[in-house]
Amino acid sequence: MNVTIQLTIDQVVDLIQQIPPKEKIAILTTLSEQAYAGEAERMKDAESKIRQVCIERGVDWDSMTEDERLYFINDIVHEDRECNQ
């Protein structure tokens, strides 16, 4: 039988404060790795999508400078309105 306990963030922090420092480090390391893995996956997905948009618009993402990329993204985000007014 699985039981789920719902805790507030403060309660979780209080629990973690009660364990020895090495275990705290292990918990934080594990949580950090999991968060990074999720972020890396989202970034990979976003990069794939932006590359597809570039192909559709005849633009080469890899040959763009950082400023060109920022301008391109800004243009996409605001394509429903004119930005240069």
Side-chain angles (χ1 to χ4, degrees):
M1 179 171 134
N2 290 336
V3 177
T4 301
I5 300 172
Q6 293 192 358
L7 302 173
T8 66
I9 292 173
D10 289 336
Q11 290 171 319
V12 172
V13 170
D14 287 341
L15 286 172
I16 292 172
Q17 293 292 358
Q18 297 174 37
I19 63 174
K22 284 188 178 183
E23 282 78 9
K24 285 180 191 175
I25 291 170
I27 289 170
L28 292 173
T29 300
T30 300
L31 292 173
S32 176
E33 288 170 352
Q34 290 174 354
Y36 179 75
E39 182 64 23
E41 189 62 33
R42 285 187 293 278
M43 289 301 292
K44 184 179 175 183
D45 185 51
E47 182 179 344
S48 173
K49 289 178 181 176
I50 194 65
R51 287 180 183 280
Q52 183 59 41
V53 171
C54 285
I55 290 169
E56 292 168 3
R57 297 181 183 212
V59 179
D60 181 11
W61 180 258
D62 293 319
S63 69
M64 297 168 94
T65 66
E66 190 66 24
D67 285 342
E68 290 171 332
R69 289 177 176 182
L70 290 172
Y71 183 82
F72 182 76
I73 297 295
N74 188 52
D75 193 40
I76 290 171
V77 169
H78 298 105
E79 69 184 355
D80 62 327
R81 63 185 168 138
E82 290 191 38
C83 295
N84 298 329
Q85 289 186 358

